[in-house]
């Protein structure tokens, strides 16, 4: 019968040939480990080797191969193959000793067959791999012990493949098939178990079947198609997996928070240092209506500014700046006497209106006792007169607005309240003889008034004039003074009441000069006691009480001390003059006198004197 396809011939050791139909088959020594007892061939019957039925306890050889007649000698034992790699100097598992970190992992064996051309381990001794097929039966396990044989029949060698099923003949060899390769046959021993043998697959030959016991040989070549092996690590439980998941989530959240914080801090620092990204556009309120409440400072200023003017005065010896306001549409403007006084006889006065227009002005009349003057501009039309109020209606605490040109800053608006009424002040006196001293029963205000505000209006909450700004009290002076100096405001400003200013302005416009109310007496200005004492002699050496005057007719005598006017106490001669000039000529006054330690009351009608 033709021999089955065998593994590639091994030519290391020659053996006796057994003639077969396909060619000689020789026994060659197999690479087997040393086993107790000799390994010998099973006795064979003389005569030709024929196929024999499989009996229990016997294992037929693959392809029904039988040994040739004649004596069979024990094959020599060859040297065991050396490992394909060097020993592991670090004793790494699984080849070395278990490491201190973990027990040695269990060994898992690959189930796939080796690549053709490599050494195959795990087949029974003498097994010949057959053609690989999907439905090929698994090889039978090796038989230990002597092979069973029928009486008078041929003896089957151990390790041979079982015979084909009954009724099935061997596959005929193709005509162009190559000669069969030599196969190694190991004889069974009655006293020892036949160890497994290693076979070599010839290139191009079919891959032998896998070892059902999956023995592991660390020196054998690894299978190219080996399946994955377990690492030996413990499989985490569900609770462990949940903990790991939670830890991963918490870690990711912390990482995101840190990264976000870092990015936010960097962006914030950049925006703080560089002022943002791109161009800067600041928020702003939208456009609103220009109108303001009539009683607000803005409303009052809007109505009053067209009637306020700035005066620039220049003379041969001095120059100055002041303020005035329009009295009528004829061009009359009211201001302070000390504003226009530097112009003198040959000086000039230029008036600048709120619109910016300018015009030349001339003095109509002035009075140093009241510190008032009227100038007039010509050739100007469309003037807006300032409405006049009543200073007797003013009360302490009323809001007021002051408009002027402090330090030549035209159109300056300040506001405050009425701090006091009927405050007796005197200003001027630079001449030495007292001819330039002004006596004013003034309105006191805390609205800022500075040099340049003189002659400007002091307005009530309805925009009406209640006073003419005239003097300030500075920190360096002990009395009120005009703004001819450069002292600034400390919140003590004084204004001439508009009732007195109206009367004087009318007289200056109509007659060119103002009249002063008089009592007809000469006062002792050196008296330091309480009240105003009548002097002993007049200014020209005459009597202190003018004969035929209002005082003489009321019975006032030299040396009398006047302590009150209309029931209001007076403490000095200046206060008596201020109280008197607060009235018009022809007004009646009630005076309280002290004479020889006794107090008496007298009544008189004020007389008149021409102004300067």
């Amino acid at each position: 019968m033709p021999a089955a396809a065998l593994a590639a011939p091994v030519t290391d050791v020659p053996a006796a040939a057994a003639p077969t139909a396909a060619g000689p088959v020789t026994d060659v020594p197999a690479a087997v480990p040393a086993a107790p007892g000799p390994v010998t061939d099973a006795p064979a019957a003389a005569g030709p080797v024929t196929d024999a039925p499989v009996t229990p306890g016997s294992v037929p050889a693959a392809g029904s191969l039988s040994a040739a007649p004649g004596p069979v000698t024990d094959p020599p034992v060859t040297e065991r193959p050396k490992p394909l790699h060097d020993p592991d100097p670090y004793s790494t598992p699984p080849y070395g000793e278990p490491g201190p970190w973990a027990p040695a992992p269990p060994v898992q064996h690959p189930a796939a067959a080796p690549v053709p051309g490599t050494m195959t381990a795990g087949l029974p001794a003498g097994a010949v791999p057959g053609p690989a097929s999907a439905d090929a039966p698994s090889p039978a396990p090796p038989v230990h012990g002597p092979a069973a044989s029928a009486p008078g029949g041929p003896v089957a060698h151990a390790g041979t493949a079982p015979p084909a099923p009954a009724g099935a003949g061997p596959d005929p060899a193709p005509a162009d098939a190559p000669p069969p390769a030599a196969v190694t046959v190991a004889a069974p021993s009655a006293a020892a178990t036949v160890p497994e043998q290693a076979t070599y697959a010839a290139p191009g030959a079919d891959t032998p079947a896998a070892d059902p016991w999956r023995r592991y040989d660390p020196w054998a070549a690894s299978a190219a198609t080996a399946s994955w092996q377990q690492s030996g690590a413990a499989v985490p439980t569900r609770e462990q997996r949940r903990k790991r998941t939670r830890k991963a989530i918490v870690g990711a959240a912390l990482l995101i928070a840190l990264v976000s914080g870092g990015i936010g801090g960097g962006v914030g620092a950049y925006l703080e240092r560089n002022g943002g990204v791109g161009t800067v556009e600041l928020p702003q309120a939208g456009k609103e209506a220009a109108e303001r409440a009539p009683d607000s400072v803005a409303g009052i200023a809007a109505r009053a500014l067209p009637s306020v003017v700035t005066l620039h005065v220049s003379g041969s010896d001095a120059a100055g700046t002041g303020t005035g306001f329009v009295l009528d549409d004829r061009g009359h403007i009211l201001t302070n006497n000390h504003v226009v006084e530097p112009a003198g006889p040959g000086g000039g006065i230029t008036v600048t209106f709120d619109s910016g227009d300018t015009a030349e002005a001339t003095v109509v009349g002035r009075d140093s006792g009241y510190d008032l003057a009227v100038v007039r501009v010509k050739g100007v039309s469309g003037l807006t007169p300032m409405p006049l109020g009543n200073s007797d209606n003013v009360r302490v605490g009323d809001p007021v607005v002051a408009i002027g040109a402090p330090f030549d800053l035209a159109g300056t608006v300040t506001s405050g309240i009425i701090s006091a009424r009927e405050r007796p002040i005197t200003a001027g006196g630079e001449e030495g003889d007292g001819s330039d001293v002004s006596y004013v029963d003034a309105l006191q205000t805390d609205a800022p008034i500075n040099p340049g505000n003189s002659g400007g209006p002091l307005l009530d909450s309805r925009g009406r004039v209640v006073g003419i700004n005239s003097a300030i009290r500075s920190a360096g002076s002990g009395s009120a003074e005009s703004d001819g100096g450069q002292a600034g405001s400390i919140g003590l400003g004084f204004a001439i009441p508009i009732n007195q200013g109206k009367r004087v302005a009318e007289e200056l416009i109509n007659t060119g000069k103002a009249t002063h109310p008089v009592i007809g007496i000469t006062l002792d200005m050196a008296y330091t006691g309480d009240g105003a004492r009548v002097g002993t002699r007049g200014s020209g050496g005459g009597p202190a009480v003018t004969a035929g005057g209002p005082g003489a007719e009321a019975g006032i005598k030299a040396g009398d001390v006047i302590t009150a006017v209309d029931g209001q106490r007076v403490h000095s001669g200046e206060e008596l003059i201020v109280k008197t000039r607060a009235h018009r000529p022809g007004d009646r006054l009630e005076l309280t006198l002290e004479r020889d330690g006794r107090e008496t009351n007298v009544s008189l009608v004020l007389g008149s004197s021409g102004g300067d």
Side-chain angles (χ1 to χ4, degrees):
M1 57 180 293
L6 303 180
V10 179
T11 60
D12 290 343
V13 180
T20 60
V25 177
T26 59
D27 292 337
V28 296
V32 295
V39 179
T40 59
D41 291 339
V49 179
T50 60
D51 294 336
V54 178
T55 60
S58 64
V59 180
S64 300
L65 299 179
S66 60
V72 178
T73 61
D74 293 336
V77 180
T78 60
E79 209 177 295
R80 182 174 181 142
K82 294 182 180 180
L84 299 180
H85 54 81
D86 295 333
D88 183 11
Y90 303 102
S91 300
T92 305
Y95 305 117
E97 295 299 328
W101 57 88
V107 178
Q108 299 295 328
H109 306 281
V115 178
T118 60
M119 184 176 68
T120 304
L123 290 178
V128 179
S133 62
D135 55 353
S138 299
V143 177
H144 305 283
S149 63
V155 178
H157 291 283
T160 58
D171 294 336
D176 55 351
V183 65
T184 301
V185 179
S189 174
T193 302
V194 178
E196 59 184 4
Q197 296 178 340
T199 60
Y200 296 86
D206 294 334
T207 303
D211 182 10
W213 289 274
R214 299 185 180 180
R215 296 184 181 89
Y216 174 70
D217 185 0
W219 286 272
S222 301
T225 59
S227 61
W228 293 101
Q229 300 182 6
Q230 294 184 355
S231 63
V235 178
T237 62
R238 179 178 299 177
E239 185 64 24
Q240 290 176 337
R241 290 195 298 270
R242 290 180 179 175
K243 289 182 179 179
R244 291 179 183 177
T245 303
R246 286 194 294 267
K247 290 180 180 178
I249 293 174
V250 172
L254 291 176
L255 180 61
I256 293 174
L258 290 175
V259 172
S260 301
I263 294 175
V267 173
Y270 175 82
L271 295 178
E272 181 180 0
R273 293 176 182 176
N274 298 278
V277 179
T279 59
V280 176
E281 184 175 353
L282 301 177
Q284 185 181 20
K287 188 175 181 180
E288 298 177 353
E291 292 77 11
R292 294 293 184 268
D295 58 348
S296 66
V297 174
I300 295 171
R303 296 194 304 272
L305 282 172
S307 301
V308 179
V309 299
T310 302
L311 284 76
H312 294 89
V313 181
S314 60
S316 59
D317 297 331
T321 303
T323 309
F325 56 91
V326 178
L327 291 175
D328 54 28
D329 55 1
R330 298 180 183 179
H332 291 104
I333 296 172
L334 182 62
T335 185
N336 283 132
N337 175 68
H338 68 265
V339 172
V340 300
E341 185 177 14
I349 302 174
T350 304
V351 175
T352 303
F353 295 91
D354 182 64
S355 61
D357 298 332
T358 61
E360 297 297 323
T362 58
V363 176
V364 175
R366 63 191 185 92
D367 186 275
S368 61
Y370 291 113
D371 194 20
L372 291 173
V374 174
V375 299
R376 183 179 183 183
V377 293
K378 296 181 179 179
V380 179
S381 60
L383 298 178
T384 304
M386 180 77 73
L388 305 180
N390 191 332
S391 56
D392 291 341
N393 297 333
V394 175
R395 296 295 178 267
V396 175
D398 285 351
V400 290
V401 175
I403 302 177
F407 300 100
D408 203 15
L409 299 174
T412 299
V413 178
T414 58
S415 64
I417 61 171
I418 296 295
S419 302
R421 298 175 64 238
E422 299 178 354
R423 184 74 74 187
I425 63 168
T426 60
E430 287 83 2
E431 297 297 332
D433 58 357
S435 61
D436 62 338
V437 177
S438 60
Y439 300 90
V440 180
D441 194 20
L443 298 173
Q444 181 181 332
T445 179
D446 65 349
I449 297 175
N450 294 283
N453 277 101
S454 291
L458 184 69
L459 309 173
D460 63 8
S461 59
R462 296 186 180 181
R464 301 172 299 189
V465 180
V466 294
I468 301 101
N469 301 320
S470 300
I472 59 175
R473 176 69 60 86
S474 62
S477 64
S479 61
E481 58 184 11
S482 64
D483 62 1
Q486 295 299 311
S489 172
I490 60 173
L492 295 174
F494 304 95
I496 301 171
I498 191 60
N499 289 5
Q500 182 177 353
K502 175 180 179 294
R503 179 182 66 84
V504 173
E506 289 173 348
E507 289 181 351
L508 293 175
I509 293 172
N510 295 327
T511 65
K513 60 182 181 180
T515 60
H516 299 168
V518 296
I519 299 176
I521 59 176
T522 301
L523 298 176
D524 183 5
M525 303 304 291
Y527 179 69
T528 58
D530 190 29
R533 187 174 68 176
V534 180
T536 57
R537 295 182 66 84
S539 57
V545 178
T546 304
E553 293 181 359
I556 299 175
K557 296 180 180 181
D560 290 346
V561 178
I562 302 174
T563 59
V565 176
D566 292 338
Q568 296 181 352
R569 293 287 298 184
V570 293
H571 303 283
S572 65
E574 288 85 358
E575 287 191 26
L576 178 61
I577 298 172
V578 168
K579 295 295 183 183
T580 302
R581 290 192 176 182
H583 294 78
R584 293 172 180 265
D587 291 346
R588 180 172 292 277
L589 294 182
E590 298 290 336
L591 302 178
T592 302
L593 307 176
E594 285 185 1
R595 183 184 299 166
D596 300 331
R598 293 185 302 173
E599 192 175 272
T600 182
N601 294 325
V602 297
S603 178
L604 55 83
V605 176
L606 293 174
S608 175
S609 68
D612 50 358

